Amino acid sequence: MIDMNNFLSFQVHGGADHGGGVADSVAGLLTFFEGLSAQNAPDIFSALMPGIAAMDNIHPVLVHFPIAFLSVFFVLDMIATLAKKQQWRDVASWMLYLGAVTAVFTVIAGFNAAGSVAHGGEVHPIMERHKDFGIAVLCLAIFLSIWRAISGGVIQGIANGFFLVLAAAMFITMMLGADLGGLMVYQHGVAVKSLQIEVPGVHQHEHADGAEPNHEHKHEHGHDHAH
């Protein structure tokens, strides 16, 4: 199977590492799509979306959408309130609605992920807090969406102040949940199928020069410590 990563990485430095720069990358891309015609549907999907195809669940993909939509909503709504721009608030409303809808699917996928992904005992409390934050964000997003829709997008006075407080609470809770999600993946390796382990004392270096452009050296360093 053609490795899509090889030719989708365009050489911004003139193709010194791969030989042909943008021209070869475009040629490789065309060859890749030509080769898809000889594959069946599952293989085509795996070739086009190798990351998603390798996942046990799609929660890590879906989670980006509510974070993006709800973040834009919160920032834009705050600015629109201060600038007194109702048109901007109308746009923010659609960001809120999209954020609420995508949050529903994200939370559902999150429940599925929690039951299917192996994790140690030290990760379980983190996962539970992450889940609680996610449910809280979903509830707030749905509540704010319903309030916004019923009001016709126009909320003023004290009611608007309370609305923005809840929006801020939703945004902060979402950031806290996202932080815990990153902690589980990058600190504890949850749902990571393979980890590159660096062996202490063994270093690999790649040097490019005129004589040997891609020569690799492997050095082992031993250290003696007297106590």
Side-chain angles (χ1 to χ4, degrees), residues 148-215:
R148 194 71 161 243
I150 292 176
S151 67
V154 181
I155 305 175
Q156 299 177 346
I158 298 177
N160 185 59
F162 183 60
F163 181 93
L164 293 176
V165 168
L166 291 180
M170 178 189 66
F171 177 76
I172 294 172
T173 303
M174 182 173 63
M175 291 299 101
L176 293 174
D179 177 72
L180 291 180
L183 178 65
M184 286 188 291
V185 173
Y186 296 109
Q187 183 67 31
H188 298 282
V190 174
V192 177
K193 292 184 178 180
S194 62
L195 296 175
Q196 183 177 358
I197 302 175
E198 182 179 350
V199 180
V202 177
H203 308 278
Q204 290 186 345
H205 308 278
E206 292 186 3
H207 304 280
D209 50 41
E212 299 177 342
N214 287 313
H215 188 64

Side-chain angles (χ1 to χ4, degrees), residues 2 56 63 205 215:
I2 301 172
D56 294 326
V63 72
H205 308 278
H215 188 64

Side-chain angles (χ1 to χ4, degrees), residues 59-69 102 106:
H59 177 71
V61 175
L62 295 179
V63 72
H64 295 85
F65 292 96
I67 290 176
F69 286 133
T102 54
T106 301

